[in-house]
Amino acid sequence: MTFELGVYSFGNTPRLPDGSRGPTAQALRDVLEAIKLADEVGLDFFGVGEHHMRAMPLSSPTSVVNAAAAVTRRIKLGTTVTVLSTDDPIRVFQQLATAASLAPGRVELVAGRGSSTITFPLFDHDERDYDMLYASKLDLLMAVNTGANVTWQGPHRRTPLRNVTVFPRPEQPLKIWLGTGGSPNSVHRAVELGLPMFLGVLGGTPGHWARYGHAYREAWAASGHPAERAEIAVSAHGFVAGSDVQARSTYLEYEHRMMAEGLAELGRPAPSRADRAANYGPGGMVFVGDPDEIADRILHLHGLLGHTRQILQMDVGGMPQRDFLRGIELLGTKVLPRIRAELAAP
């Protein structure tokens, strides 16, 4: 199976010269510009995440996927993640099926719970229903994705569905990944449902995450699923620049700002700059460096985890768009060819 490399974004509201935030609308235009460049330089995937913050305003990932489907040629597109607990699974399917009609075979979604509960009051859901909503809505999403004439009932709906077909229908079912931040329950849920697993990584070590991969594959084999469908993807923070020094200094400035401001909105403390910088080395899970450094570290993780896709979040904390676009260019023209050559070598 070919290893895939890409990028993901939650939107990145730009900074004005005086340090204040620019318009959130510009963040959406910047994401679309980045997706088009990722397509041009040969990257395999661009993921669109969901956040509802001023600094990261990409709150409707399916809308951006539809826009990108119309202006790209080959790159795969998807949500990373759709916060399914507080969204409507039928509408999610319809919106992404629309994108898949424009870009056949290129549209996917990652169904997850999200990294916070901020969407529960926003969309008038009870946080106490956290587990029920996710399980029920994921079951319905999979049902409507499978085919026509769906009869379904579950605890999040008052009215059962009886012999319903949801339109439009893409030429083939959407690929659905189960998104998890590393919960053992989510690993087992992915296996139980026969879904590929999408790991959202913010810290830890390569060895730590390799254990989740081994647990997933062991449970997958025990369940009798086809071995070739046991796919694992990794999303992680990272940045590519012309030199290690430039990459580290640039990314630390903007990533620490993002974490300090974003976690403050959620009422959480941010790690210190020194603690965060400690994750930038080979023993951490933030992939920062020049193209050779990034390729070496992704290959090392692949050797431990056997993942088939890795995507990096580079546009953080008001990072200038020119730096983000240069990182995408290096990822596609320098890092990906090196990874492909190493994996193809006998």
Side-chain angles (χ1 to χ4, degrees):
M1 185 175 294
T2 302
F3 185 86
E4 296 181 337
L5 186 63
V7 179
Y8 72 107
S9 175
F10 292 99
N12 178 39
T13 301
R15 293 279 174 164
L16 300 177
D18 64 1
S20 63
R21 289 195 182 105
T24 55
Q26 185 61 48
L28 278 294
R29 294 190 285 269
D30 287 347
V31 167
L32 194 60
E33 180 184 31
I35 295 172
K36 290 190 285 187
L37 177 61
D39 187 39
E40 292 167 6
V41 299
L43 288 175
D44 300 296
F45 182 82
F46 201 109
V48 185
E50 178 180 344
H51 266 313
H52 300 260
M53 302 175 177
R54 186 172 185 179
M56 293 182 285
L58 212 163
S59 59
S60 179
T62 55
S63 300
V64 178
V65 170
N66 268 280
V71 296
T72 54
R73 297 181 297 106
R74 50 160 299 279
I75 194 167
K76 294 179 183 177
L77 305 162
T79 64
T80 53
V81 304
T82 292
V83 183
L84 197 59
S85 302
T86 53
D87 211 333
D88 185 294
I90 293 177
R91 289 298 286 160
V92 167
F93 173 80
Q94 289 176 323
Q95 290 157 359
L96 291 175
T98 299
S101 301
L102 302 174
R106 294 200 285 126
V107 175
E108 309 175 2
L109 75 148
V110 180
R113 301 167 183 260
S115 58
S116 76
T117 57
I118 192 173
T119 55
F120 280 80
L122 186 63
F123 296 115
D124 196 26
H125 290 285
D126 191 331
E127 189 179 328
R128 292 172 296 183
D129 295 330
Y130 186 91
D131 292 319
M132 177 276 289
L133 287 170
Y134 181 67
S136 182
K137 291 184 177 186
L138 180 57
D139 188 59
L140 177 55
L141 176 65
M142 293 178 64
V144 298
N145 184 52
T146 299
N149 304 318
V150 171
T151 295
W152 186 93
Q153 64 180 14
H156 84 274
R157 283 184 62 99
R158 292 192 302 270
T159 307
L161 296 175
R162 303 200 183 280
N163 200 34
V164 171
T165 301
V166 178
F167 297 104
R169 305 300 308 176
E171 280 90 347
Q172 60 194 58
L174 300 172
K175 184 172 185 176
I176 299 175
W177 299 73
L178 188 139
T180 175
S183 162
N185 289 337
S186 294
V187 173
H188 293 300
R189 189 194 301 271
V191 172
E192 179 184 350
L193 298 175
L195 295 177
M197 182 172 66
F198 189 96
L199 291 171
V201 175
L202 288 176
T205 65
H208 168 83
W209 292 103
R211 288 194 289 273
Y212 282 96
H214 296 157
Y216 172 76
R217 287 200 172 86
E218 287 175 5
W220 187 275
S223 297
H225 296 311
E228 68 275 9
R229 290 177 53 197
E231 294 182 67
I232 300 173
V234 171
S235 66
H237 284 194
F239 182 66
V240 193
S243 71
D244 281 344
V245 171
Q246 180 188 0
R248 289 170 187 267
S249 62
T250 299
Y251 200 66
L252 183 59
E253 175 184 353
Y254 294 110
E255 192 205 30
H256 186 261
R257 175 196 284 173
M258 177 205 71
M259 298 190 83
E261 294 178 349
L263 289 171
E265 288 189 45
L266 299 174
R268 302 178 189 172
S272 69
R273 289 173 66 94
D275 286 344
R276 196 59 192 165
N279 284 283
Y280 287 19
M285 284 295 291
V286 183
F287 292 75
V288 178
D290 66 19
D292 284 337
E293 169 76 7
I294 299 303
D296 286 342
R297 291 188 56 197
I298 291 174
L299 286 164
H300 173 68
L301 181 63
H302 176 74
L304 296 174
L305 180 59
H307 59 313
T308 56
R309 175 184 292 172
Q310 183 158 338
I311 58 176
L312 300 180
Q313 183 186 3
M314 295 195 282
D315 60 335
V316 295
M319 175 185 288
Q321 179 75 347
R322 66 178 181 274
D323 293 335
F324 180 34
L325 297 179
R326 178 57 176 159
I328 290 174
E329 181 182 0
L330 290 171
L331 202 65
T333 62
K334 301 295 184 181
V335 179
L336 182 56
R338 163 86 190 284
I339 291 172
R340 289 268 168 82
E342 292 281 346
L343 292 179

